[in-house]
Amino acid sequence: MKLKNTLVLSGALAFSVAASSAWAKVSEAEAARLGADLTPIGAEKAGNGGDIPAWDGGISAPPAGFDGSNYISPYAGETAKFTINAGNMAQYADKLSEGQKAMLTKYDTYNIPVYPTHRSAAYPAEIYDVIKDNATKTELVDGGNGLRNYIKAVPFPIIDQNDPDAGLKVIWNHIVRYRGGSVMRTINQATPQVNGSYTLVKFQDEFTFRSNLKGVDLSQPSNILFYFKQQVLAPARLAGNVLLVHETLDQVKEPRLAWLYNAGQRRVRRAPQVSYDGPGTAADGLRTSDNFDMYNGAPDRYDWKLVGKQEMYIPYNSYQLNSKSLKYDDIIRPGHLNPEHTRYELHRVWKVEATIKEGQRHIYAKRTFYIDEDSWSASVIDHYDGRGELWRVAEAHAMQFYDSVIPWYAVESLYDLLAGRYLVLGLDNEEDKSYEFNFERSEKDYTPAALRRSGRR
């Protein structure tokens, strides 16, 4: 994977939306904690006196031996300290989600190998400056469905657990967290049958923040957060179909704008279903639109409650799942990913419960989120159906893209406990060139007209 290393801090994405009551931003004195007792993004810098070490800056440079293309694990020589299975699960139950425990109970082939903890997450220094500025300026507005005085990256690095909006702020930190300026990636998705057979769907994704586009007047208010384009490359029956999304920050004020180019019909049409619990692309009914990136989109259909912070075994430093030495058959197994290639560590997470609001609808009546304190990325999410029964379990196998200083997901998995099937997204083991990060201003055109032109070539 060849990544561009030049970092040019993009101009601010600043805008205002109509203000309603919002809990106050933190003071300059409180913000001074960032980089002191807190990390620059708001995690506890200290360790727990045991298995969780103090944060020492994370990984901000490639390890020796990195060839500029294929990621290698900085921890390749380590072995698992122990493995959690159905037989010893009770011993570790307080550090597992209900979904993880259900997976251990359902599959005797599923286990959780636990390795030494490394707090590898890091961001560019310039992004830390932006986050500190956000801490004293950014507020929730309009019922919590938008942000005011927002630039980019983490809007609420310091969370007051007594704040009634704390849960919603944690979720906003995940939704809008920094993932580079402009990214192109080639990845694969699989939805294995119960017996493990699968057909890969290959995507080319493009993801660009508005502030990273050339020609954009950043002094003018805008509700656009980023642009997303996804083209299906395979299989042949789906190849050529393209999804274009203009992601709005306040999707209640202005719903997400989405278009689909259908290669068979050679036409572009609006796609309002690409939101909330609309079906995910080529996901065989195993993923909703807002399951992408673990969770995305408007938070308005749920009430958000911060339960608190806890220690938990979560997927982390998952370089093995990204290894070019593996084939997809090595990873994809009946019922779940092959645990021989997964890695879990003990980390602190924010636990947030989302409950559907009265009068609203969604196929998930409740979700329980576990958000990594060092990156604000969702690590595990348990999904419950309308009966209150546990239905799906999502796990994000994260890694540090160290040459671009960005923590993101190597692979996302979403297990359906009722169907006995799952979806895995992000596989790129057999791709020659998978990710390209570009921090310079992009000249790409994300208009529907451009989508129409590209589809007709």
Side-chain angles (χ1 to χ4, degrees), residues 53-95:
W55 184 79
D56 61 2
I59 304 179
S60 56
F66 177 58
D67 63 5
S69 178
N70 300 320
Y71 285 92
I72 58 174
S73 172
Y75 318 115
E78 295 181 346
T79 57
K81 297 163 55 179
F82 56 90
T83 298
I84 304 172
N85 54 40
N88 64 6
M89 177 177 64
Q91 182 180 346
Y92 307 100
D94 62 330
K95 294 180 174 61

Side-chain angles (χ1 to χ4, degrees), residues 394-414:
E395 291 189 316
H397 298 264
M399 59 180 269
Q400 178 73 6
F401 290 80
Y402 34 67
D403 52 347
S404 293
V405 201
I406 296 169
W408 204 8
Y409 303 144
V411 164
E412 297 175 57
S413 56
L414 183 60

Side-chain angles (χ1 to χ4, degrees), residues 28 37 76 95 194 207 298 300 344 377 425:
E28 292 283 354
D37 65 302
K95 294 180 174 61
V194 174
F207 176 96
D300 63 300
Y344 291 75
S377 300
L425 174 69

Side-chain angles (χ1 to χ4, degrees), residues 19 31 60 86 93 124 151 180 220 241 273 334 417-418 430:
S60 56
I151 298 176
Q220 296 300 311
N241 292 343
Q273 75 276 13
L417 294 167
L418 302 183
E430 299 176 21

Side-chain angles (χ1 to χ4, degrees), residues 49-357:
D51 290 335
I52 300 177
W55 184 79
D56 61 2
I59 304 179
S60 56
F66 177 58
D67 63 5
S69 178
N70 300 320
Y71 285 92
I72 58 174
S73 172
Y75 318 115
E78 295 181 346
T79 57
K81 297 163 55 179
F82 56 90
T83 298
I84 304 172
N85 54 40
N88 64 6
M89 177 177 64
Q91 182 180 346
Y92 307 100
D94 62 330
K95 294 180 174 61
L96 299 171
S97 81
E98 292 304 312
Q100 289 175 314
K101 287 184 274 189
M103 286 292 295
L104 290 165
T105 301
K106 184 177 179 65
Y107 298 104
D108 58 10
T109 52
Y110 178 83
N111 57 62
I112 295 177
V114 178
Y115 287 76
T117 298
H118 298 280
R119 298 178 68 181
S120 53
Y123 290 92
E126 292 89 343
I127 296 303
Y128 291 148
D129 292 339
V130 172
I131 292 171
K132 192 168 187 177
D133 195 48
N134 287 349
T136 62
K137 294 181 178 179
T138 304
E139 296 175 305
L140 287 174
V141 297
D142 195 23
N145 296 314
L147 303 176
R148 181 172 59 184
N149 301 323
Y150 175 68
I151 298 176
K152 64 166 59 174
V154 176
F156 306 112
I158 299 178
I159 298 295
D160 177 0
Q161 296 195 41
N162 295 317
D163 180 350
D165 289 327
L168 182 55
K169 288 179 177 179
V170 170
I171 294 303
W172 270 114
N173 285 347
H174 162 78
I175 291 172
V176 301
R177 71 197 188 283
Y178 184 73
R179 281 152 284 173
S182 181
V183 184
M184 179 179 289
R185 63 179 186 170
T186 302
I187 58 173
N188 291 273
Q189 173 180 280
T191 54
Q193 300 295 327
V194 174
N195 64 3
S197 65
Y198 64 92
T199 299
L200 288 176
V201 179
K202 182 180 291 188
F203 299 109
Q204 183 181 79
D205 289 353
E206 295 179 25
F207 176 96
T208 303
F209 278 90
R210 175 179 177 269
S211 57
N212 211 61
L213 287 177
K214 285 186 177 180
V216 171
D217 185 354
L218 297 175
S219 67
Q220 296 300 311
S222 174
N223 192 33
I224 296 293
L225 178 63
F226 62 78
Y227 301 90
F228 176 76
K229 182 179 177 183
Q230 183 181 73
Q231 180 171 350
V232 181
L233 303 180
R237 61 184 174 82
L238 299 174
N241 292 343
V242 186
L243 169 66
L244 174 65
V245 173
H246 291 186
E247 186 76 347
T248 54
L249 191 59
D250 184 345
Q251 294 186 20
V252 175
K253 174 185 175 183
E254 182 183 8
R256 170 185 286 168
L257 304 172
W259 297 264
L260 280 170
Y261 173 78
N262 186 292
Q265 299 175 351
R266 299 177 65 86
R267 59 179 294 230
V268 174
R269 58 183 175 84
R270 289 294 298 271
Q273 75 276 13
V274 183
S275 62
Y276 298 108
D277 54 1
T281 304
D284 208 12
L286 293 173
R287 172 175 76 77
T288 62
S289 288
D290 63 8
N291 278 139
F292 189 81
D293 195 43
M294 294 291 282
Y295 177 77
N296 72 90
D300 63 300
R301 294 190 180 181
Y302 290 96
D303 288 319
W304 301 89
K305 175 186 175 183
L306 178 63
V307 178
K309 186 181 282 189
Q310 69 176 70
E311 295 178 3
M312 184 176 178
Y313 296 114
I314 59 175
Y316 225 91
N317 291 310
S318 303
Y319 291 94
Q320 183 69 8
L321 287 176
N322 186 258
S323 174
K324 300 297 184 183
S325 67
L326 296 180
K327 300 294 184 182
Y328 298 130
D329 285 348
D330 297 326
I331 297 172
I332 300 172
R333 295 295 167 85
H336 53 78
L337 300 179
N338 186 348
E340 291 182 13
H341 305 302
T342 62
R343 178 188 175 112
Y344 291 75
E345 299 177 1
L346 184 66
H347 286 263
R348 287 185 293 247
V349 297
W350 294 97
K351 181 178 179 180
V352 177
E353 289 182 349
T355 305
I356 197 73
K357 290 180 178 178

